[in-house]
Structure formats: C-alpha cells, structure tokens
Amino acid sequence: MIVPSRGITRVRTPVAGHGAKSLLSPKTPVALSIPRADGIMCQMSRTPILAASILAADFTRLGEALQQVQEGGADWIHIDVMDGHFVPVLTMGTPIVEACRRATSLPLDVHLMVDDPESLIPSFVGAGADSITVHVEAVSHLHRCLESTRRQGVRVGVALNPATPIAAIEEALGDTDLVLVMTVDPGYSGQPLIPATLDKVRRLRDRLQAAGSTARLEVDGGINTDTAPEAARQGADVFVAAQGIFGHPHGVAAGVRALRASLQPALA
Ligand code: DX5
Ligand code: ZN
C-alpha cells in the first residue's frame, strides 16, 4: 500500500504478524539482565529505545527541536494525542503528526489518549504514524481494534494507566507489539513517576517472558536520568521522556545523551 503524506511517499506493507516492520534503530544491542520474581536473572538481548515526547517541546520551533532530538541520538518521536475527554486536556492531532513526518525520518510513536480511538486511527496512519498505541481503558473491543490497526500497516501497542491491573490486557498480550505502562496518570508532562508502577513493569516483563513474547515494554511519565535506570532494571526497554529531554539545562541533544548514558549501568 502506498500512503502519500505531503512531500513524502511512504510504502506501507500490511503486517501479517509481529516483527514484519522494524521500528528499531540499528544501535548496538545490549544484554539486559532482568531480575525475576524467583531471583533468577534472565538475559535477553535488547536495544534500549529512547522516545522523545514532543509534549514538552517548543512548538514555535518544532522542526529544530526534532533535529536536535535526532542529533542527540533518540530512536523514536513520541506524540501524545489527548482529546479532553479521556484525559482533561487537548493536545495534538494529525496536522502535528504530518509536520513531524516531514521534519524527521525517525519513527513516529503515536500515543492515543482518546476515548473510542478506533475511528481516528486511519487518519493517524495516513498522517505518517509508525506505531499506534491505544489505552485499554478507552477501547470496548481491544482485539478488533488491534487487528484492524495492524492491518493498516503499523505496529500496535496497548497502554494501561497506573491504576489499571495487568489482568486487563493479559488476553491481548499475544496481539500487541508494545505494552505501554503509564508511570504517571496521563494528561501532563512534568509529573513525578509513581514508584508503584515499576513493580507492574517487572510483573509485566515476567509475563511477556513467560509467554515468549517479543513485545516491547515502554514506560511513559516522569522518566529521567534518575528513574530510567530503575525502570530498565525492572524490564522496560522503551523509555519515553518529555521534560527529561526537552527540559534539559544543556539543551535537547544533551538531554537525549544524558538519558542514554544513565541507562548504561543498569544494562551492563
Ligand atoms: C503523559 C504523556 C507522556 C508525557 C511524559 O500523559 O503520555 O508521554 O509526555 O512527560 P514527562 O516525560 O515530562 O513526564
Ligand atoms: Zn505518552
């Protein structure tokens, strides 16, 4: 399928199964030691992915901000779409996704914090999204939503809020490329990470590993150089950061580099 996206012609291959379309940047994989509940250390080869959330970017200079993120070595651009219903605020829609698509070659990781997202998804795919994550709390028929999204040629993800138990997505673990654990209540950048969510990350990593799943485990909210290492130790392998990158005192590229450097001890 060819999806024209102003100025860019994008070839989309319908995804038959997981892994058909790689979003990963070719960085050196690292061995991630995951302490399991039973004390056994599991080794797996995982490249940590840094996703810069533009929610904290300077929107008057979005193109420059994206360039700086790329210079710093970020892997994905994370775009937070909020509808004023599922979360109290409104943020970005397809015009911003299209603008990002024109300004960067990095994969666009679209996080839909909207009620009933299914009808909106084709427009985000058309705008240039590479992965689309929906909230389990916002979808009535999760299996159908994931399957129909995957058929549009993008990776699919399921997000869960801090108060949502893992059981809510357990039956969908085989249908998703990504599980996004909200480490704050969604809605705003700059909130402190809720410590109890890291235990959920560990339990989810155990579940994914037991199921032999290759799904990525993404943490989102309050991720910075202090919190990312612990999230990595608990099994996260995708790290979303807005304030931690765009609010870095030495600039955006420095923010990305500092975040990556902070992960090294946890992943050694
Ligand atoms: C929160 C969004 C996050 C947010 C993270 O609802 O989903 O992606 O941008 O912001 P920080 O990293 O500043 O907590
Ligand atoms: Zn997000």
Side-chain angles (χ1 to χ4, degrees):
M1 189 188 342
I2 296 184
V3 180
S5 174
R6 261 193 253 163
I8 297 173
T9 301
R10 316 183 70 232
V11 178
R12 290 209 179 279
T13 311
V15 180
H18 298 182
K21 180 170 182 245
S22 177
L23 280 176
L24 310 185
S25 293
K27 295 209 167 62
T28 314
V30 292
L32 183 58
S33 301
I34 297 170
R36 290 179 52 125
D38 57 10
I40 299 168
M41 300 293 279
C42 297
Q43 291 289 327
M44 53 186 248
S45 183
R46 277 298 200 195
T47 308
I49 288 176
L50 303 191
S53 165
I54 61 170
L55 194 56
D58 177 352
F59 284 105
T60 66
R61 300 169 161 217
L62 185 56
E64 281 170 48
L66 291 172
Q67 269 175 18
Q68 290 162 1
V69 160
Q70 203 155 350
E71 272 166 35
D75 301 293
W76 295 355
I77 302 300
H78 182 88
I79 303 175
D80 288 310
V81 177
M82 305 187 192
D83 67 351
H85 295 282
F86 181 70
V87 286
V89 284
L90 276 169
T91 56
M92 306 163 229
T94 51
I96 296 287
V97 176
E98 285 179 7
C100 290
R101 184 69 293 153
R102 291 196 299 277
T104 180
S105 57
L106 291 177
L108 304 181
D109 178 38
V110 173
H111 178 188
L112 295 181
M113 284 160 276
V114 305
D115 279 331
D116 297 321
E118 219 168 331
S119 61
L120 291 173
I121 287 172
S123 61
F124 282 98
V125 174
D130 293 278
S131 62
I132 297 205
T133 295
V134 297
H135 269 260
V136 63
E137 304 87 354
V139 176
S140 306
H141 304 287
L142 184 58
H143 178 267
R144 185 169 65 200
C145 180
L146 294 176
E147 285 305 304
S148 72
T149 305
R150 185 189 295 288
R151 278 199 300 274
Q152 294 170 57
V154 295
R155 294 252 176 173
V156 297
V158 183
L160 64 174
N161 284 335
T164 303
I166 291 173
I169 62 161
E170 194 126 32
E171 303 300 328
L173 288 181
D175 301 322
T176 188
D177 301 303
L178 187 79
V179 178
L180 187 160
V181 175
M182 285 304 309
T183 40
V184 298
D185 283 303
Y188 307 96
S189 166
Q191 305 178 78
L193 176 143
I194 300 168
T197 59
L198 294 179
D199 187 62
K200 187 192 281 182
V201 172
R202 181 188 57 73
R203 286 180 282 123
L204 255 167
R205 173 53 71 196
D206 278 349
R207 296 273 212 298
L208 291 171
Q209 204 140 326
S213 168
T214 57
R216 286 274 177 175
L217 187 44
E218 184 170 25
V219 281
D220 186 6
I223 298 297
N224 53 40
T225 53
D226 293 329
T227 56
E230 189 53 28
R233 278 190 282 269
Q234 301 304 323
D237 56 14
V238 181
F239 304 86
V240 176
Q243 198 56 39
I245 289 176
F246 292 99
H248 194 277
H250 301 302
V252 174
V256 178
R257 290 190 196 107
L259 192 57
R260 194 176 297 284
S262 77
L263 288 168
Q264 288 313 311
L267 300 172

